[in-house]
Amino acid sequence: MDPDALAELAFEALTSTRTLRSAREHLHDLVEPKLAHNPGTAALWSGFIRDRRVPPELPAALAAELRHDERFANRIAELANRALWRRRLIPRRDLVLGIAVTLVGGAAAGGINWLLNPAIEPLAQDEVTKAEQAKAQSKGVLGVKAAYQIRGDAFGWAFAEPLSDTQVRDLLAVEGEPELGPLALAAQPVYIAYHYWGELHNFTRLRMTVVNHWPKPVLITDIKAKVKRTAPLSGALAWVGAQGSVEVIDIGFDLEEDDPRARVTNKDGTLGDPWTYGENVELEPGQTQPFNLIGRATKSYCEWHVEIHAEIEGQPQVFEVKDDQGKPFVTTAFADHYRQRFSYGPPNGLKWVERGEGGMFR
């Protein structure tokens, strides 16, 4: 879009009373530093905040910023269009019904008035809408599934307590594959995967799929993690090591932040801007959107679940996401010291070997 037209669109979104609040606030937070901190437009911006009048100098100044910062322009375009989405949401079936009423009724006042004022809907359409909404409510407005992803990273398992003599014998009897054998169910192990991105991060990979069952678009405005943190598990460590490469993660959480929000993952593995910084997702009715999520920890044992923040016809709602048994996801950092340690593979052959107490294997 032409920068001048995009700047006008941005101010239309900022001044309209029929915009999505969260997108409008994000847009405001992006535009304000560019104009409020510019000596040439600071006073004009203050006047705009006070009385919502837009002098032509403000869109012109914003257009100048858009011309030399493509990333900024893309974010402004995304948020302005998201903010104004309600104006474009006259459902196609409503429009078709309106045209049909007009054609059947000719110049009858009811048909013409309905077409000019979509708020006056036919009774039949109102019943259809209610039925669709009731069906969506029965399924859940958003259908969400999340499952652990086990990949070829450096990995192993941690245990809250040392293994019993019988459990140690069972583990040492496992050969051929880096598995836990009977311990997989009996000892409540916590899977660990890690990678070194400038700092050692243990993490949990999830594949989350969101489906919109609502008969109108749903806007996902934020994704957060709610976390309960304690000390890392230190009873025992069964460590396999690296078995393959690490794939790119779409969005990630630092589980040790005060209020973990989904963040974009940079090429070097660091977590960058909040994912919602111009990346809101609008789901059309029936649309499915997959997410790759990662939760990281460096010093804690974390039980956590995901919160999806969405707007349903302009009203905010929050959806909790846990595993398929309704339990929180678990991520644990390495403990400084384990009472038992076991390692797998070379130079020991394809089997587990007891290594005594100590720290993690590097």
Side-chain angles (χ1 to χ4, degrees):
M1 180 181 290
D2 175 75
D4 293 311
L6 179 54
E8 294 289 347
L9 183 68
F11 274 98
E12 180 185 357
L14 288 170
T15 55
S16 175
T17 59
R18 297 182 60 205
T19 54
L20 288 173
R21 180 180 55 82
S22 60
R24 186 176 69 245
E25 289 175 352
H26 280 300
L27 183 63
H28 176 276
D29 291 344
L30 282 179
V31 171
E32 184 173 51
K34 301 290 187 181
L35 302 179
H37 300 162
N38 183 335
T41 55
L44 294 173
W45 178 259
S46 296
F48 165 70
I49 296 300
R50 184 180 62 252
D51 58 25
R52 313 311 290 175
R53 294 181 59 189
V54 184
E57 292 86 351
L58 285 182
L62 180 58
E65 297 286 346
L66 296 170
R67 284 189 178 90
H68 73 258
D69 190 337
E70 183 178 356
R71 184 167 179 263
F72 175 65
N74 288 338
R75 287 173 172 171
I76 293 296
E78 172 74 15
L79 287 172
N81 280 291
R82 293 296 182 195
L84 292 166
W85 72 286
R86 281 197 193 120
R87 292 189 176 184
R88 306 179 180 96
L89 287 182
I90 300 176
R92 185 174 300 171
R93 65 171 181 278
D94 292 353
L95 183 59
V96 171
L97 283 173
I99 294 172
V101 169
T102 304
L103 291 175
V104 172
I112 295 175
N113 286 341
W114 188 90
L115 186 61
L116 295 177
N117 184 3
I120 306 174
E121 295 189 356
L123 180 60
Q125 176 59 32
D126 186 54
E127 293 302 319
V128 169
T129 299
K130 289 180 179 179
E132 289 178 339
Q133 291 177 347
K135 183 178 179 180
Q137 291 284 10
S138 68
K139 291 183 177 181
V141 174
L142 291 183
V144 187
K145 293 183 179 179
Y148 289 104
Q149 284 192 306
I150 306 300
R151 303 278 181 80
D153 307 298
F155 72 98
W157 292 269
F159 301 83
E161 300 294 335
L163 304 182
S164 67
D165 291 343
T166 300
Q167 289 173 331
V168 171
R169 286 197 299 270
D170 288 342
L171 179 63
L172 297 181
V174 175
E175 295 185 6
E177 295 291 339
E179 299 175 350
L180 295 181
L183 271 67
L185 297 176
Q188 296 184 321
V190 173
Y191 181 83
I192 296 177
Y194 94 98
H195 196 272
Y196 190 85
W197 284 299
E199 180 180 7
L200 187 68
H201 287 92
N202 291 10
F203 57 87
T204 299
R205 295 181 188 276
L206 304 176
R207 179 73 165 184
M208 182 176 75
T209 304
V210 183
V211 183
N212 177 17
H213 295 311
W214 196 246
K216 293 185 180 181
V218 170
L219 187 70
I220 297 176
T221 60
D222 208 350
I223 299 177
K224 295 184 178 182
K226 293 301 180 182
V227 188
K228 176 183 176 182
R229 288 180 284 267
T230 57
L233 305 183
S234 59
L237 175 68
W239 188 245
V240 178
Q243 300 288 304
S245 60
V246 176
E247 292 190 16
V248 175
I249 300 300
D250 292 333
I251 57 179
F253 302 98
D254 179 350
L255 298 176
E256 288 157 341
E257 287 184 333
D258 290 339
D259 184 22
R261 294 181 61 187
R263 296 182 178 276
V264 297
T265 303
N266 300 321
K267 291 182 179 180
D268 62 358
T270 58
L271 296 180
D273 292 335
W275 169 75
T276 52
Y277 190 49
E279 298 292 337
N280 294 353
V281 171
E282 184 179 82
L283 301 182
E284 294 295 331
Q287 180 181 347
T288 298
Q289 175 64 54
F291 294 87
N292 288 327
L293 307 183
I294 188 170
R296 296 183 180 179
T298 62
K299 56 189 177 184
S300 306
Y301 168 83
C302 303
E303 295 183 355
W304 56 288
H305 66 271
V306 175
E307 282 189 350
I308 298 178
H309 293 246
E311 290 193 1
I312 316 297
E313 298 191 41
Q315 298 301 312
Q317 292 193 35
V318 178
F319 301 84
E320 287 191 356
V321 184
K322 298 182 180 180
D323 71 11
D324 56 5
Q325 297 180 358
K327 296 180 179 180
F329 305 106
V330 176
T331 305
T332 184
F334 289 112
D336 293 332
H337 187 89
Y338 293 94
R339 285 172 279 177
Q340 291 176 335
R341 296 183 305 165
F342 304 86
S343 64
Y344 180 89
N348 310 314
L350 299 181
K351 62 181 181 180
W352 290 100
V353 174
E354 192 166 5
R355 300 283 293 273
E357 63 180 294
M360 59 88 65
F361 304 105
R362 294 183 184 270

